[in-house]
Structures are given as C-alpha cells and as structure tokens.
Amino acid sequence: QKEVEQNSGPLSVPEGAIASLNCTYSDRGSQSFFWYRQYSGKSPELIMSIYSNGDKEDGRFTAQLNKASQYVSLLIRDSQPSDSATYLCAAKGAGRRALTFGSGTRLQVQP
Amino acid sequence: DAGVIQSPRHEVTEMGQEVTLRCKPISGHDYLFWYRQTMMRGLELLIYFNNNVPIDDSGMPEDRFSAKMPNASFSTLKIQPSEPRDSAVYFCASSEGYNTGELFFGEGSRLTVL
C-alpha cells in the first residue's frame, strides 16, 4: 500500500463546475498536507497547504483535512480549462521524513 | 532568482554508461531534494540534504545510485552503470527550512536509457 493514495483519473468536469479531488494517507503521524499542481511536461508547483482539521480557502481553491479519517481533499470552484493538470497530494510525516507524494489525479476541464 | 536549475534537460544513453545529473538550488535554501518520477511509481524521494549533509537516502534504489552536495550551490546525482529501468524524469527541489513543505522544483532531467 502506498503511503499516499489518489485516484489516477482522469476526472473530467465541465467548465464552471466544481472539481473534487481526494487523497488518503496511511501514516497517522503525518503532520501537514499539501496539494501540488503539475502541468504536462512541467514540474510540480505548490498551490495549497493545510495543517489542521477543517477547511482552508484560497481563491477558487479549498483544501479539506480530516485526520480521523486520514483524508484530504481539494475543491476547485468555477473550474477553468487552464486548471487541467495533474494534482499531486503530499503528506509530511513526523520527524525528519520528507514529503511523500501520491501518484496524482489528472483533471480535465472541458470548455 | 532564477529558480532551481537542472542539467541536462534531456539525456539519452546506452545501458551500462555513467549518467551524471546536476542541480543548482535557489540561493539561501538549506534543503535539497532529489525525486524521480515515472508513470508507474509516481514521484519518489531518492535522497535529501540539509546544509549539504545527506539526511535520508533510504529512497536510493541501489548502489548504482550516488548523490553528493559538495557546497550549498551544487549537487549531483550519479548513476553508474545505468539500466533501462532507470529511465525517468529526475527532479531536484529545494526549500528554505524543513517544515514549510513548499518545495521549489527544477524543470527536471528526462533520462532515457536504451
């Protein structure tokens, strides 16, 4: 079992809809969680971080964390074709462990 | 700042040859990470350094892989001898501090081993 699990997709949504991306993690010691966006052929870039249970909003993006269920999600409101990319969920464990990434969910926003 | 700089961007080599990938982190960043990305396995941590010292190399697949960071502005990842299964995109990333979780990635080095 991978430490961070994501559905590979593709997740296809129409322009203007809400895209919901999900992630589960196995290490209960994980302290903080991150969403990275990776366009095809490019490198990952950080778009959201979340450290405590609940919701965190930044513009059209909302990250949600439920540590009891070991579940992280990313909502993208008013999805745009430019949001089409692979979204990587990452968890940082306790101690000196570096970020562990999921395999990513490919999002396609249809115009 | 120019960001994290990696070279070469593309490398095609034959099995058994030595491959050296290079990375210049963002100035002032004290953490440097090497990740490998494949379709099958996703983005995997190989090794990371703090202040030029290797902290966790548990992701280095085997003795054919080695990494060094002789100073704060340069790191290398070497594969010797290379094998076809090493074909992947190798990313270098740096960060300022450990707890931010914000890694700045280079553009990657795409390695193809024939």
Side-chain angles (χ1 to χ4, degrees):
Chain A
Q1 180 192 9
K2 285 181 68 75
E3 293 187 34
V4 179
E5 298 267 10
Q6 295 181 255
N7 188 317
S8 61
L11 172 66
S12 185
V13 300
E15 184 175 354
I18 296 175
S20 177
L21 304 162
N22 305 313
C23 165
T24 59
Y25 60 95
S26 60
D27 180 6
R28 284 197 173 273
S30 295
Q31 302 291 314
S32 46
F33 305 87
F34 307 88
W35 285 97
Y36 280 74
R37 178 176 61 200
Q38 186 175 23
Y39 291 113
S40 180
K42 302 296 185 182
S43 57
E45 57 177 339
L46 179 70
I47 55 171
M48 287 287 289
S49 59
I50 188 164
Y51 302 95
S52 54
N53 281 328
D55 295 359
K56 179 182 177 183
E57 186 174 318
D58 184 1
R60 296 187 296 113
F61 298 96
T62 299
Q64 299 174 316
L65 173 60
N66 183 327
K67 289 187 177 180
S69 300
Q70 295 176 248
Y71 181 87
V72 192
S73 65
L74 179 70
L75 301 178
I76 306 175
R77 290 182 299 282
D78 188 24
S79 296
Q80 301 297 310
S82 58
D83 295 325
S84 298
T86 296
Y87 289 80
L88 302 169
C89 175
K92 185 177 175 306
R96 303 290 284 175
R97 298 190 65 194
L99 283 186
T100 299
F101 286 85
S103 295
T105 298
R106 188 157 63 95
L107 173 66
Q108 296 176 338
V109 180
Q110 305 296 334
Chain B
D1 199 313
V4 176
I5 299 172
Q6 291 187 245
S7 64
R9 291 292 313 280
H10 302 275
E11 175 93 2
V12 180
T13 191
E14 293 190 346
M15 182 173 61
Q17 297 298 304
E18 177 179 296
V19 174
T20 299
L21 308 178
R22 298 172 178 81
C23 175
K24 176 179 167 53
I26 292 172
S27 177
H29 283 190
D30 53 347
Y31 283 84
L32 183 140
F33 305 81
W34 282 100
Y35 282 88
R36 176 173 69 176
Q37 188 173 41
T38 61
M39 288 292 292
M40 289 295 293
R41 301 176 66 90
L43 196 60
E44 300 175 288
L45 176 72
L46 299 176
I47 186 171
Y48 82 91
F49 296 83
N50 174 217
N51 291 325
N52 316 335
V53 176
I55 302 300
D56 182 357
D57 65 353
S58 59
M60 296 286 264
E62 49 200 88
D63 292 345
R64 297 185 298 107
F65 285 68
S66 62
K68 294 181 180 180
M69 191 166 186
N71 57 62
S73 59
F74 184 66
S75 177
T76 60
L77 178 68
K78 186 173 294 186
I79 308 172
Q80 167 62 19
S82 57
E83 297 183 3
R85 60 189 167 132
D86 302 329
S87 297
V89 180
Y90 290 80
F91 285 105
C92 175
S94 68
S95 71
E96 183 178 15
Y98 181 72
N99 292 318
T100 64
E102 181 170 16
L103 305 186
F104 293 83
F105 284 82
E107 293 184 300
S109 295
R110 180 176 294 277
L111 172 65
T112 302
V113 183
L114 302 175

